[in-house]
């Protein structure tokens, strides 16, 4: 198994669907700063490896930094 598959399997155990878990695992392995989603299950996932945020909050936060 690849790193992505192993991490996705770990994420799936929290109730996140396979495709969403794979996308999230890819963002973590790629060292992304943010994972932007509207999926409520994914938004509830807790990790310190990537900031999971919805698009509206991301735009609001991004606007505050300018």
């Amino acid at each position: 198994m690849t790193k992505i598959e192993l991490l996705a399997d770990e994420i799936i155990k929290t109730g996140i669907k396979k495709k969403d878990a794979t996308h999230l695992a890819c963002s973590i392995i790629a060292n992304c700063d943010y994972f932007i989603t509207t999926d409520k299950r994914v938004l509830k996932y807790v990790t310190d490896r990537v900031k999971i945020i919805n698009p509206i909050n991301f735009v609001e936060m991004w606007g505050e930094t300018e």
Side-chain angles (χ1 to χ4, degrees):
M1 285 188 127
T2 66
K3 282 183 173 182
I4 294 169
E5 291 169 319
L6 290 171
L7 183 53
D9 284 345
E10 178 186 317
I11 296 168
I12 288 168
K13 291 176 185 176
T14 68
I16 295 177
K17 295 179 183 177
K18 184 176 182 174
K19 288 181 182 179
D20 294 325
T22 302
H23 289 144
L24 187 52
C26 287
S27 73
I28 291 169
I29 290 172
N31 293 315
C32 293
D33 293 323
Y34 296 94
F35 186 84
I36 301 171
T37 183
T38 59
D39 188 296
K40 291 179 183 177
R41 284 186 187 157
V42 177
L43 286 165
K44 291 179 183 177
Y45 180 72
V46 177
T47 181
D48 60 351
R49 299 179 277 189
V50 66
K51 173 78 172 149
I52 302 170
I53 191 167
N54 72 42
I56 293 170
N57 290 348
F58 179 79
V59 170
E60 288 172 348
M61 179 201 64
W62 186 58
E64 292 172 1
T65 62
E66 291 189 293

